[in-house]
Amino acid sequence: MKNIAVILSGCGVYDGSEIHEAVLTLLAIEQQGGQYSCFAPNITQHHVINHLNGEVSKDESRNVLVEAARINRGDVEDLIELREQDFDAIIFVGGFGAAKNLSSFALDNDNYSVNEQVLLAAKAFAKVEKPAGYMCIAPAILPLVYPAGVKGTIGKDNATAALISAKGLTHIECSVGDVVIDEAHKIVTTPAYMLAESISEAAVGINKLVKYVLAFSK
């Protein structure tokens, strides 16, 4: 049974992990014969968004790890405890948390950086050539982990793709139900809610991503 590390960035599309993407990923891993453990950095999230009205909640602070624990019924570990030797692959869930907490992409555009803990974890898997899956906006992390020219997708948003490409990503347009595979680096990416208009649409690409990540793990 393949063991997959799933990286979360909080809880809620606007300031953390996209919850549908996270749950679909965990479900797909289990249904396809794998098992998973969830991780998140123990840091303060960039800001808190009221998901009912979309406004920033003033004078409120939340912790990424604590919020991520909501998604997996409390079973989430501090990212600093992740050891690549204990897992067969790593998957990064999307949501604005990937662009605000795991990286600064939503804030700094093409001058963005990746959180040090996140970068160390991603590079650890890359160094030993273990497979990785990145969905939604999480592929923005790829060019800071892998050599220039690494392939990936965030869907069909040319302006967003151009910002990531400036860092070294070879962006390939992709429909919501498909994936882009970089065989040389064993990376699978899918647009998920960068394009999905329903949970069922997001599920198609996420299921494929998990399928190929598990296949690369053999």
Side-chain angles (χ1 to χ4, degrees):
M1 183 178 290
K2 300 301 177 181
N3 197 14
I4 313 300
V6 177
I7 310 304
L8 304 175
S9 59
C11 182
V13 58
Y14 300 125
D15 57 13
S17 291
E18 211 299 320
I19 298 172
H20 289 174
E21 291 180 3
V23 174
L24 287 169
T25 298
L26 304 184
L27 178 63
I29 292 171
E30 187 172 293
Q31 288 183 330
Q32 295 182 36
Q35 61 184 15
Y36 59 81
S37 294
C38 294
F39 295 85
N42 186 8
I43 58 175
T44 301
Q45 62 187 54
H46 172 66
H47 59 194
V48 179
I49 299 290
N50 181 326
H51 280 59
L52 190 61
N53 59 25
E55 296 178 357
V56 175
S57 297
K58 296 180 180 179
D59 302 320
E60 184 177 1
S61 177
R62 298 190 183 186
N63 178 279
V64 172
L65 178 61
V66 172
E67 290 300 294
R70 293 175 179 270
I71 294 177
N72 197 37
R73 302 172 64 86
D75 190 8
V76 178
E77 299 178 59
D78 190 330
L79 183 60
I80 202 170
E81 302 298 329
L82 175 60
R83 299 290 179 266
E84 74 280 359
Q85 59 265 34
D86 297 332
F87 294 89
D88 298 291
I90 190 170
I91 293 179
F92 286 81
V93 173
F96 273 102
K100 294 177 178 179
N101 303 326
L102 303 188
S103 75
S104 65
F105 179 71
L107 315 170
D108 299 326
N109 295 321
D110 60 352
N111 194 37
Y112 69 96
S113 60
V114 175
N115 171 274
E116 184 177 356
Q117 291 181 31
V118 175
L119 196 60
L120 286 173
K123 284 187 172 182
F125 279 78
K127 184 177 181 180
V128 295
E129 300 182 345
K130 289 190 175 181
Y134 290 74
M135 66 189 69
C136 192
I137 196 60
I141 297 170
L142 286 174
L144 282 80
V145 175
Y146 296 88
V150 59
K151 298 176 183 177
T153 190
I154 50 88
K156 299 182 179 181
D157 185 331
N158 292 332
T160 301
L163 294 173
I164 306 173
S165 296
K167 286 288 193 180
L169 180 75
T170 297
H171 184 265
I172 300 172
E173 285 198 359
C174 181
S175 63
V176 65
D178 210 346
V179 296
V180 167
I181 299 174
D182 183 324
E183 294 191 6
H185 299 102
K186 299 179 182 177
I187 300 168
V188 188
T189 53
T190 192
Y193 272 101
M194 289 296 288
L195 290 177
E197 296 183 356
S198 68
I199 190 171
S200 57
E201 278 193 353
V204 177
I206 291 173
N207 286 338
K208 288 182 180 178
L209 180 147
V210 170
K211 173 184 175 182
Y212 285 108
V213 167
L214 289 175
F216 272 136
S217 301
K218 295 179 179 179

